[in-house]
Short mmCIF file of all heavy atoms in Angstrom, two decimals:
data_model
loop_
_atom_site.label_atom_id
_atom_site.label_comp_id
_atom_site.label_asym_id
_atom_site.label_seq_id
_atom_site.Cartn_x
_atom_site.Cartn_y
_atom_site.Cartn_z
N MET Q 1 99.55 108.91 107.13
CA MET Q 1 100.09 109.93 106.30
C MET Q 1 101.46 110.35 106.87
O MET Q 1 101.55 110.59 108.05
CB MET Q 1 99.15 111.09 106.30
CG MET Q 1 99.67 112.37 105.88
SD MET Q 1 98.66 113.88 106.05
CE MET Q 1 97.03 113.24 105.77
N ARG Q 2 102.50 110.26 106.10
CA ARG Q 2 103.83 110.79 106.49
C ARG Q 2 104.00 112.19 106.19
O ARG Q 2 103.72 112.66 105.08
CB ARG Q 2 104.97 109.98 105.79
CG ARG Q 2 106.34 110.37 106.28
CD ARG Q 2 107.45 109.62 105.59
NE ARG Q 2 108.37 110.68 105.22
CZ ARG Q 2 109.05 110.72 104.08
NH1 ARG Q 2 108.82 109.91 103.15
NH2 ARG Q 2 109.86 111.71 103.85
N ILE Q 3 104.41 112.96 107.18
CA ILE Q 3 104.60 114.44 107.05
C ILE Q 3 105.99 114.83 107.44
O ILE Q 3 106.54 114.43 108.44
CB ILE Q 3 103.65 115.09 108.07
CG1 ILE Q 3 102.20 114.80 107.72
CG2 ILE Q 3 103.88 116.67 108.04
CD1 ILE Q 3 101.19 115.25 108.71
N GLY Q 4 106.63 115.61 106.52
CA GLY Q 4 107.97 116.07 106.75
C GLY Q 4 107.90 117.51 107.26
O GLY Q 4 107.25 118.34 106.72
N LEU Q 5 108.59 117.76 108.36
CA LEU Q 5 108.67 119.06 108.99
C LEU Q 5 110.03 119.72 108.79
O LEU Q 5 110.95 119.10 108.22
CB LEU Q 5 108.33 118.99 110.47
CG LEU Q 5 107.01 118.33 110.86
CD1 LEU Q 5 106.89 118.17 112.37
CD2 LEU Q 5 105.83 119.11 110.30
N ASP Q 6 110.20 120.86 109.29
CA ASP Q 6 111.43 121.61 109.15
C ASP Q 6 112.56 120.81 109.74
O ASP Q 6 112.30 120.07 110.75
CB ASP Q 6 111.32 122.98 110.06
CG ASP Q 6 112.48 123.85 109.86
OD1 ASP Q 6 113.55 123.56 110.40
OD2 ASP Q 6 112.38 124.85 109.17
N GLU Q 7 113.69 120.84 109.15
CA GLU Q 7 114.83 120.01 109.54
C GLU Q 7 115.23 120.22 111.05
O GLU Q 7 115.85 119.34 111.70
CB GLU Q 7 116.11 120.28 108.62
CG GLU Q 7 115.88 119.84 107.26
CD GLU Q 7 116.09 118.36 107.07
OE1 GLU Q 7 116.82 117.72 107.84
OE2 GLU Q 7 115.43 117.84 106.17
N LYS Q 8 114.89 121.36 111.57
CA LYS Q 8 115.22 121.72 112.99
C LYS Q 8 114.40 120.92 113.98
O LYS Q 8 114.73 120.89 115.15
CB LYS Q 8 115.12 123.20 113.23
CG LYS Q 8 116.02 124.07 112.40
CD LYS Q 8 115.77 125.48 112.66
CE LYS Q 8 116.56 126.36 111.65
NZ LYS Q 8 116.07 127.73 111.60
N ILE Q 9 113.29 120.39 113.56
CA ILE Q 9 112.36 119.73 114.44
C ILE Q 9 112.68 118.22 114.59
O ILE Q 9 112.74 117.46 113.55
CB ILE Q 9 110.90 119.91 113.93
CG1 ILE Q 9 110.54 121.38 113.93
CG2 ILE Q 9 109.92 119.17 114.83
CD1 ILE Q 9 109.19 121.71 113.32
N ASP Q 10 112.93 117.80 115.80
CA ASP Q 10 113.10 116.39 116.09
C ASP Q 10 111.74 115.88 116.55
O ASP Q 10 111.31 116.24 117.64
CB ASP Q 10 114.18 116.23 117.11
CG ASP Q 10 114.46 114.77 117.50
OD1 ASP Q 10 113.65 113.89 117.21
OD2 ASP Q 10 115.58 114.49 118.09
N THR Q 11 111.08 115.04 115.81
CA THR Q 11 109.77 114.60 116.16
C THR Q 11 109.72 113.64 117.36
O THR Q 11 108.72 113.37 117.89
CB THR Q 11 109.05 113.97 114.94
OG1 THR Q 11 109.87 112.89 114.44
CG2 THR Q 11 108.73 114.99 113.91
N SER Q 12 110.90 113.09 117.73
CA SER Q 12 111.01 112.32 119.03
C SER Q 12 110.73 113.24 120.20
O SER Q 12 110.06 112.91 121.19
CB SER Q 12 112.33 111.64 119.16
OG SER Q 12 112.44 110.67 118.12
N VAL Q 13 111.24 114.54 120.10
CA VAL Q 13 111.01 115.49 121.14
C VAL Q 13 109.55 116.04 121.05
O VAL Q 13 108.89 116.18 122.01
CB VAL Q 13 112.01 116.61 121.00
CG1 VAL Q 13 111.69 117.82 121.97
CG2 VAL Q 13 113.42 116.17 121.16
N LEU Q 14 109.15 116.27 119.83
CA LEU Q 14 107.76 116.72 119.57
C LEU Q 14 106.76 115.70 120.11
O LEU Q 14 105.69 116.09 120.63
CB LEU Q 14 107.47 116.99 118.11
CG LEU Q 14 106.13 117.52 117.70
CD1 LEU Q 14 105.76 118.83 118.37
CD2 LEU Q 14 106.07 117.63 116.19
N TYR Q 15 107.09 114.43 120.00
CA TYR Q 15 106.19 113.39 120.47
C TYR Q 15 105.81 113.59 121.93
O TYR Q 15 104.64 113.51 122.32
CB TYR Q 15 106.84 112.00 120.27
CG TYR Q 15 106.16 110.93 121.03
CD1 TYR Q 15 105.06 110.28 120.50
CD2 TYR Q 15 106.67 110.46 122.28
CE1 TYR Q 15 104.42 109.26 121.22
CE2 TYR Q 15 106.06 109.47 122.99
CZ TYR Q 15 104.92 108.88 122.49
OH TYR Q 15 104.31 107.82 123.12
N TYR Q 16 106.81 113.88 122.81
CA TYR Q 16 106.56 114.06 124.19
C TYR Q 16 105.81 115.38 124.50
O TYR Q 16 104.93 115.41 125.35
CB TYR Q 16 107.83 114.02 125.01
CG TYR Q 16 108.43 112.63 125.13
CD1 TYR Q 16 109.51 112.30 124.29
CD2 TYR Q 16 107.80 111.67 125.84
CE1 TYR Q 16 110.02 110.99 124.31
CE2 TYR Q 16 108.27 110.31 125.86
CZ TYR Q 16 109.43 110.07 125.10
OH TYR Q 16 109.87 108.71 125.13
N LYS Q 17 106.12 116.43 123.74
CA LYS Q 17 105.34 117.71 123.89
C LYS Q 17 103.98 117.46 123.53
O LYS Q 17 102.96 118.02 124.14
CB LYS Q 17 106.00 118.77 123.00
CG LYS Q 17 107.39 119.24 123.43
CD LYS Q 17 107.97 120.28 122.52
CE LYS Q 17 109.34 120.67 122.92
NZ LYS Q 17 109.33 121.58 124.03
N ALA Q 18 103.69 116.80 122.38
CA ALA Q 18 102.31 116.48 121.98
C ALA Q 18 101.55 115.63 123.01
O ALA Q 18 100.43 115.86 123.31
CB ALA Q 18 102.32 115.88 120.62
N LEU Q 19 102.24 114.59 123.46
CA LEU Q 19 101.66 113.71 124.42
C LEU Q 19 101.17 114.36 125.64
O LEU Q 19 100.15 114.09 126.19
CB LEU Q 19 102.62 112.60 124.79
CG LEU Q 19 102.01 111.22 125.26
CD1 LEU Q 19 100.98 110.71 124.27
CD2 LEU Q 19 103.12 110.24 125.50
N ASN Q 20 101.97 115.32 126.14
CA ASN Q 20 101.63 116.11 127.25
C ASN Q 20 100.38 117.02 127.08
O ASN Q 20 99.80 117.52 127.99
CB ASN Q 20 102.80 117.06 127.71
CG ASN Q 20 103.84 116.29 128.42
OD1 ASN Q 20 103.61 115.31 128.93
ND2 ASN Q 20 105.06 116.83 128.34
N ASN Q 21 100.03 117.12 125.79
CA ASN Q 21 98.82 117.92 125.44
C ASN Q 21 97.67 117.00 124.91
O ASN Q 21 96.76 117.45 124.31
CB ASN Q 21 99.15 118.98 124.32
CG ASN Q 21 99.92 120.15 124.87
OD1 ASN Q 21 99.24 121.07 125.31
ND2 ASN Q 21 101.22 120.11 124.90
N GLY Q 22 97.82 115.71 125.17
CA GLY Q 22 96.79 114.78 124.82
C GLY Q 22 96.75 114.40 123.35
O GLY Q 22 95.74 113.93 122.86
N ILE Q 23 97.81 114.61 122.64
CA ILE Q 23 97.90 114.30 121.22
C ILE Q 23 99.00 113.24 121.01
O ILE Q 23 100.13 113.32 121.49
CB ILE Q 23 98.36 115.60 120.42
CG1 ILE Q 23 97.41 116.73 120.73
CG2 ILE Q 23 98.46 115.34 118.95
CD1 ILE Q 23 97.88 118.07 120.21
N SER Q 24 98.60 112.25 120.27
CA SER Q 24 99.52 111.12 119.99
C SER Q 24 99.97 111.19 118.52
O SER Q 24 99.13 111.22 117.60
CB SER Q 24 98.91 109.76 120.32
OG SER Q 24 99.79 108.71 120.02
N ILE Q 25 101.32 111.19 118.26
CA ILE Q 25 101.90 111.06 116.98
C ILE Q 25 102.91 109.90 116.96
O ILE Q 25 103.29 109.44 117.99
CB ILE Q 25 102.55 112.40 116.53
CG1 ILE Q 25 103.76 112.65 117.46
CG2 ILE Q 25 101.58 113.58 116.55
CD1 ILE Q 25 104.69 113.72 116.96
N ALA Q 26 103.29 109.50 115.76
CA ALA Q 26 104.35 108.50 115.60
C ALA Q 26 105.55 109.19 115.01
O ALA Q 26 105.49 109.63 113.86
CB ALA Q 26 103.81 107.39 114.71
N PRO Q 27 106.63 109.35 115.76
CA PRO Q 27 107.82 109.98 115.23
C PRO Q 27 108.41 109.15 114.07
O PRO Q 27 108.41 107.90 114.11
CB PRO Q 27 108.80 109.96 116.39
CG PRO Q 27 108.00 109.73 117.59
CD PRO Q 27 106.81 108.98 117.14
N GLY Q 28 108.85 109.82 113.02
CA GLY Q 28 109.35 109.10 111.79
C GLY Q 28 110.49 108.12 112.11
O GLY Q 28 110.67 107.15 111.43
N ARG Q 29 111.29 108.49 113.09
CA ARG Q 29 112.49 107.64 113.42
C ARG Q 29 112.12 106.19 113.67
O ARG Q 29 112.88 105.30 113.44
CB ARG Q 29 113.20 108.26 114.58
CG ARG Q 29 114.40 107.49 115.07
CD ARG Q 29 115.52 107.54 114.04
NE ARG Q 29 116.66 106.73 114.49
CZ ARG Q 29 116.87 105.48 114.24
NH1 ARG Q 29 115.96 104.80 113.41
NH2 ARG Q 29 117.92 104.86 114.60
N ILE Q 30 110.92 105.89 114.19
CA ILE Q 30 110.52 104.56 114.53
C ILE Q 30 110.22 103.66 113.27
O ILE Q 30 110.05 102.48 113.48
CB ILE Q 30 109.30 104.45 115.52
CG1 ILE Q 30 108.02 104.95 114.86
CG2 ILE Q 30 109.68 105.26 116.78
CD1 ILE Q 30 106.82 104.75 115.71
N PHE Q 31 110.20 104.30 112.11
CA PHE Q 31 109.83 103.51 110.93
C PHE Q 31 111.09 103.18 110.07
O PHE Q 31 110.96 102.75 108.93
CB PHE Q 31 108.84 104.28 110.02
CG PHE Q 31 107.56 104.49 110.75
CD1 PHE Q 31 107.27 105.74 111.35
CD2 PHE Q 31 106.60 103.49 110.82
CE1 PHE Q 31 106.03 105.90 111.99
CE2 PHE Q 31 105.46 103.66 111.55
CZ PHE Q 31 105.16 104.88 112.10
N THR Q 32 112.24 103.28 110.74
CA THR Q 32 113.45 102.95 109.92
C THR Q 32 114.54 102.46 110.87
O THR Q 32 114.58 102.77 112.04
CB THR Q 32 113.99 104.25 109.20
OG1 THR Q 32 115.15 103.89 108.40
CG2 THR Q 32 114.37 105.34 110.09
N LEU Q 33 115.51 101.68 110.33
CA LEU Q 33 116.65 101.26 111.04
C LEU Q 33 117.86 102.16 110.81
O LEU Q 33 118.90 102.08 111.45
CB LEU Q 33 117.01 99.82 110.70
CG LEU Q 33 115.98 98.72 111.05
CD1 LEU Q 33 116.35 97.38 110.51
CD2 LEU Q 33 115.72 98.69 112.52
N GLN Q 34 117.70 103.09 109.88
CA GLN Q 34 118.74 104.04 109.52
C GLN Q 34 118.59 105.28 110.39
O GLN Q 34 117.58 105.48 111.01
CB GLN Q 34 118.61 104.38 108.07
CG GLN Q 34 118.58 103.22 107.11
CD GLN Q 34 119.78 102.32 107.25
OE1 GLN Q 34 120.95 102.81 107.35
NE2 GLN Q 34 119.57 101.05 107.22
N ASN Q 35 119.58 106.14 110.39
CA ASN Q 35 119.54 107.39 111.12
C ASN Q 35 118.91 108.44 110.16
O ASN Q 35 119.60 109.26 109.63
CB ASN Q 35 121.01 107.80 111.52
CG ASN Q 35 121.00 109.05 112.39
OD1 ASN Q 35 119.92 109.34 112.98
ND2 ASN Q 35 122.09 109.58 112.49
N GLN Q 36 117.57 108.37 110.10
CA GLN Q 36 116.87 109.30 109.15
C GLN Q 36 115.46 109.55 109.68
O GLN Q 36 115.04 108.94 110.65
CB GLN Q 36 116.82 108.72 107.74
CG GLN Q 36 116.25 107.34 107.67
CD GLN Q 36 116.39 106.75 106.25
OE1 GLN Q 36 117.01 107.30 105.36
NE2 GLN Q 36 115.80 105.56 106.06
N PHE Q 37 114.76 110.40 109.02
CA PHE Q 37 113.34 110.68 109.24
C PHE Q 37 113.10 111.42 110.64
O PHE Q 37 112.02 111.33 111.20
CB PHE Q 37 112.43 109.52 109.17
CG PHE Q 37 112.41 108.85 107.75
CD1 PHE Q 37 112.69 107.54 107.63
CD2 PHE Q 37 112.35 109.62 106.65
CE1 PHE Q 37 112.73 106.93 106.45
CE2 PHE Q 37 112.40 109.08 105.41
CZ PHE Q 37 112.58 107.69 105.31
N HIS Q 38 114.12 112.05 111.24
CA HIS Q 38 114.00 112.67 112.51
C HIS Q 38 113.00 113.83 112.51
O HIS Q 38 112.46 114.17 113.54
CB HIS Q 38 115.36 113.15 112.99
CG HIS Q 38 116.24 112.12 113.39
ND1 HIS Q 38 116.18 111.39 114.58
CD2 HIS Q 38 117.28 111.53 112.72
CE1 HIS Q 38 117.14 110.51 114.63
NE2 HIS Q 38 117.83 110.54 113.51
N ASN Q 39 112.82 114.41 111.29
CA ASN Q 39 111.92 115.56 111.20
C ASN Q 39 110.53 115.14 110.61
O ASN Q 39 109.76 116.00 110.20
CB ASN Q 39 112.48 116.70 110.39
CG ASN Q 39 112.73 116.28 108.94
OD1 ASN Q 39 113.13 115.17 108.68
ND2 ASN Q 39 112.38 117.18 107.99
N CYS Q 40 110.28 113.88 110.50
CA CYS Q 40 109.04 113.37 109.96
C CYS Q 40 108.15 112.78 111.06
O CYS Q 40 108.66 112.38 112.09
CB CYS Q 40 109.30 112.34 108.93
SG CYS Q 40 110.22 112.92 107.52
N LEU Q 41 106.84 112.72 110.75
CA LEU Q 41 105.95 112.06 111.64
C LEU Q 41 104.84 111.39 110.88
O LEU Q 41 104.61 111.72 109.68
CB LEU Q 41 105.41 113.05 112.68
CG LEU Q 41 104.55 114.27 112.17
CD1 LEU Q 41 103.11 113.97 112.21
CD2 LEU Q 41 104.86 115.44 113.05
N ARG Q 42 104.06 110.55 111.57
CA ARG Q 42 102.94 109.88 110.94
C ARG Q 42 101.69 110.21 111.78
O ARG Q 42 101.69 110.16 112.99
CB ARG Q 42 103.09 108.40 110.83
CG ARG Q 42 101.97 107.69 110.19
CD ARG Q 42 102.23 106.23 109.90
NE ARG Q 42 103.28 106.18 108.83
CZ ARG Q 42 103.72 104.97 108.38
NH1 ARG Q 42 103.34 103.83 108.92
NH2 ARG Q 42 104.58 105.00 107.44
N LEU Q 43 100.68 110.60 111.06
CA LEU Q 43 99.39 110.89 111.71
C LEU Q 43 98.37 109.90 111.25
O LEU Q 43 98.30 109.58 110.10
CB LEU Q 43 98.88 112.28 111.25
CG LEU Q 43 99.57 113.58 111.85
CD1 LEU Q 43 98.95 114.73 111.23
CD2 LEU Q 43 99.59 113.62 113.34
N ASN Q 44 97.51 109.41 112.21
CA ASN Q 44 96.45 108.55 111.82
C ASN Q 44 95.24 108.91 112.65
O ASN Q 44 95.33 109.33 113.78
CB ASN Q 44 96.77 107.06 112.20
CG ASN Q 44 97.88 106.52 111.38
OD1 ASN Q 44 97.81 106.48 110.16
ND2 ASN Q 44 98.91 105.95 112.04
N TYR Q 45 94.04 108.83 112.03
CA TYR Q 45 92.82 108.91 112.76
C TYR Q 45 91.71 108.15 112.03
O TYR Q 45 91.88 107.90 110.87
CB TYR Q 45 92.41 110.41 112.97
CG TYR Q 45 91.83 111.07 111.77
CD1 TYR Q 45 90.51 111.23 111.55
CD2 TYR Q 45 92.71 111.69 110.85
CE1 TYR Q 45 89.95 111.80 110.49
CE2 TYR Q 45 92.17 112.33 109.75
CZ TYR Q 45 90.77 112.42 109.53
OH TYR Q 45 90.35 113.01 108.48
N GLY Q 46 90.77 107.66 112.77
CA GLY Q 46 89.80 106.76 112.17
C GLY Q 46 88.36 107.20 112.41
O GLY Q 46 87.49 106.43 112.30
N GLY Q 47 88.15 108.49 112.72
CA GLY Q 47 86.79 108.90 112.94
C GLY Q 47 86.42 110.03 112.02
O GLY Q 47 87.20 110.37 111.06
N GLU Q 48 85.24 110.52 112.14
CA GLU Q 48 84.76 111.71 111.30
C GLU Q 48 85.57 112.89 111.73
O GLU Q 48 85.89 113.06 112.91
CB GLU Q 48 83.30 111.94 111.56
CG GLU Q 48 82.37 111.02 110.76
CD GLU Q 48 81.02 111.54 110.76
OE1 GLU Q 48 80.74 112.77 110.46
OE2 GLU Q 48 80.16 110.70 111.01
N TRP Q 49 85.86 113.75 110.81
CA TRP Q 49 86.58 115.00 111.06
C TRP Q 49 85.65 115.79 112.00
O TRP Q 49 84.48 115.89 111.79
CB TRP Q 49 86.79 115.73 109.77
CG TRP Q 49 87.64 116.98 109.97
CD1 TRP Q 49 87.14 118.24 110.16
CD2 TRP Q 49 89.06 117.06 110.10
NE1 TRP Q 49 88.18 119.14 110.33
CE2 TRP Q 49 89.39 118.40 110.25
CE3 TRP Q 49 90.04 116.10 110.01
CZ2 TRP Q 49 90.66 118.87 110.45
CZ3 TRP Q 49 91.37 116.53 110.15
CH2 TRP Q 49 91.69 117.87 110.40
N ASN Q 50 86.27 116.35 113.08
CA ASN Q 50 85.45 117.16 113.98
C ASN Q 50 86.34 118.29 114.54
O ASN Q 50 87.55 118.39 114.27
CB ASN Q 50 84.83 116.28 115.04
CG ASN Q 50 85.82 115.57 115.92
OD1 ASN Q 50 86.85 116.17 116.33
ND2 ASN Q 50 85.62 114.35 116.23
N ARG Q 51 85.69 119.09 115.40
CA ARG Q 51 86.40 120.28 115.90
C ARG Q 51 87.53 119.86 116.80
O ARG Q 51 88.52 120.59 116.83
CB ARG Q 51 85.37 121.17 116.58
CG ARG Q 51 85.88 122.43 117.12
CD ARG Q 51 86.23 123.43 115.97
NE ARG Q 51 86.74 124.65 116.64
CZ ARG Q 51 87.74 125.31 116.15
NH1 ARG Q 51 88.38 124.94 115.02
NH2 ARG Q 51 88.18 126.41 116.74
N ASP Q 52 87.41 118.82 117.57
CA ASP Q 52 88.49 118.37 118.42
C ASP Q 52 89.76 117.88 117.67
O ASP Q 52 90.87 118.26 118.08
CB ASP Q 52 88.00 117.20 119.33
CG ASP Q 52 86.97 117.64 120.38
OD1 ASP Q 52 86.94 118.79 120.75
OD2 ASP Q 52 86.21 116.74 120.81
N ILE Q 53 89.54 117.22 116.56
CA ILE Q 53 90.70 116.85 115.71
C ILE Q 53 91.33 118.10 115.17
O ILE Q 53 92.57 118.29 115.19
CB ILE Q 53 90.25 115.88 114.63
CG1 ILE Q 53 89.83 114.57 115.27
CG2 ILE Q 53 91.41 115.67 113.58
CD1 ILE Q 53 89.17 113.60 114.27
N GLU Q 54 90.51 119.02 114.70
CA GLU Q 54 91.11 120.26 114.13
C GLU Q 54 91.85 121.05 115.16
O GLU Q 54 92.94 121.55 114.96
CB GLU Q 54 89.88 121.14 113.64
CG GLU Q 54 90.41 122.34 112.85
CD GLU Q 54 89.22 123.09 112.19
OE1 GLU Q 54 88.21 122.51 111.88
OE2 GLU Q 54 89.40 124.33 112.03
N LYS Q 55 91.38 121.12 116.40
CA LYS Q 55 92.12 121.80 117.48
C LYS Q 55 93.41 121.16 117.79
O LYS Q 55 94.36 121.78 118.03
CB LYS Q 55 91.21 121.85 118.84
CG LYS Q 55 90.09 122.80 118.71
CD LYS Q 55 89.35 122.77 120.12
CE LYS Q 55 88.08 123.52 120.16
NZ LYS Q 55 87.44 123.40 121.43
N ALA Q 56 93.30 119.76 117.80
CA ALA Q 56 94.55 119.02 118.12
C ALA Q 56 95.64 119.32 117.03
O ALA Q 56 96.83 119.46 117.35
CB ALA Q 56 94.26 117.53 118.20
N LEU Q 57 95.17 119.36 115.77
CA LEU Q 57 96.18 119.66 114.67
C LEU Q 57 96.75 121.03 114.78
O LEU Q 57 97.91 121.22 114.57
CB LEU Q 57 95.53 119.39 113.34
CG LEU Q 57 95.35 117.93 113.00
CD1 LEU Q 57 94.59 117.75 111.64
CD2 LEU Q 57 96.72 117.19 112.89
N VAL Q 58 95.90 121.97 115.17
CA VAL Q 58 96.38 123.33 115.33
C VAL Q 58 97.40 123.37 116.48
O VAL Q 58 98.47 123.98 116.37
CB VAL Q 58 95.23 124.33 115.57
CG1 VAL Q 58 95.70 125.68 116.09
CG2 VAL Q 58 94.34 124.43 114.36
N LYS Q 59 97.08 122.74 117.60
CA LYS Q 59 97.97 122.73 118.76
C LYS Q 59 99.27 121.97 118.34
O LYS Q 59 100.44 122.54 118.69
CB LYS Q 59 97.36 121.97 119.93
CG LYS Q 59 98.20 121.93 121.17
CD LYS Q 59 98.48 123.32 121.67
CE LYS Q 59 99.30 123.33 122.93
NZ LYS Q 59 99.60 124.68 123.42
N LEU Q 60 99.24 120.89 117.64
CA LEU Q 60 100.49 120.21 117.17
C LEU Q 60 101.29 121.17 116.33
O LEU Q 60 102.50 121.23 116.47
CB LEU Q 60 100.09 118.98 116.39
CG LEU Q 60 101.24 118.14 115.95
CD1 LEU Q 60 102.11 117.60 117.04
CD2 LEU Q 60 100.77 116.95 115.03
N GLY Q 61 100.67 121.92 115.45
CA GLY Q 61 101.40 122.90 114.63
C GLY Q 61 102.08 123.99 115.49
O GLY Q 61 103.22 124.36 115.16
N GLN Q 62 101.36 124.38 116.47
CA GLN Q 62 101.88 125.43 117.40
C GLN Q 62 103.13 124.86 118.14
O GLN Q 62 104.15 125.54 118.29
CB GLN Q 62 100.84 125.89 118.40
CG GLN Q 62 99.78 126.77 117.80
CD GLN Q 62 98.66 127.00 118.69
OE1 GLN Q 62 98.42 126.25 119.72
NE2 GLN Q 62 97.79 127.96 118.39
N LEU Q 63 103.02 123.63 118.63
CA LEU Q 63 104.12 122.98 119.30
C LEU Q 63 105.31 122.78 118.41
O LEU Q 63 106.49 123.06 118.83
CB LEU Q 63 103.73 121.58 119.88
CG LEU Q 63 102.66 121.63 121.01
CD1 LEU Q 63 102.17 120.23 121.28
CD2 LEU Q 63 103.27 122.30 122.29
N ALA Q 64 105.08 122.37 117.16
CA ALA Q 64 106.23 122.26 116.22
C ALA Q 64 106.82 123.58 115.87
O ALA Q 64 108.07 123.71 115.83
CB ALA Q 64 105.67 121.57 114.96
N ASN Q 65 105.98 124.64 115.75
CA ASN Q 65 106.51 125.92 115.39
C ASN Q 65 107.40 126.49 116.49
O ASN Q 65 108.38 127.19 116.19
CB ASN Q 65 105.38 126.90 115.07
CG ASN Q 65 105.78 128.09 114.41
OD1 ASN Q 65 106.63 128.05 113.49
ND2 ASN Q 65 105.24 129.28 114.81
N GLN Q 66 107.12 126.17 117.73
CA GLN Q 66 107.96 126.57 118.88
C GLN Q 66 109.35 125.96 118.85
O GLN Q 66 110.27 126.52 119.49
CB GLN Q 66 107.29 126.23 120.19
CG GLN Q 66 106.02 127.01 120.47
CD GLN Q 66 105.29 126.46 121.67
OE1 GLN Q 66 105.65 125.52 122.31
NE2 GLN Q 66 104.08 127.09 121.97
N MET Q 67 109.52 124.90 118.14
CA MET Q 67 110.76 124.19 118.09
C MET Q 67 111.72 124.74 117.03
O MET Q 67 112.91 124.32 116.98
CB MET Q 67 110.56 122.69 117.91
CG MET Q 67 109.79 122.10 119.03
SD MET Q 67 109.45 120.28 118.69
CE MET Q 67 111.00 119.60 118.84
N ILE Q 68 111.25 125.60 116.18
CA ILE Q 68 112.08 126.14 115.13
C ILE Q 68 112.88 127.28 115.56
O ILE Q 68 112.47 128.11 116.34
CB ILE Q 68 111.18 126.68 113.89
CG1 ILE Q 68 110.43 125.40 113.35
CG2 ILE Q 68 112.01 127.28 112.84
CD1 ILE Q 68 109.47 125.78 112.24
#
């Protein structure tokens, strides 16, 4: 799923912040050869929805919000 965030958020920076919290995302910039998608990311998961996934998404949202 591709997600677009606020233009102020560089998901390459968010990637490292998330990784330090045990959350892995794919920054949008890695999906293009052009200078675009800096504020986009891709999320993937392959298990049943659970409380840990929900907590990780809440934390990711908090980290992103701190960058605005």
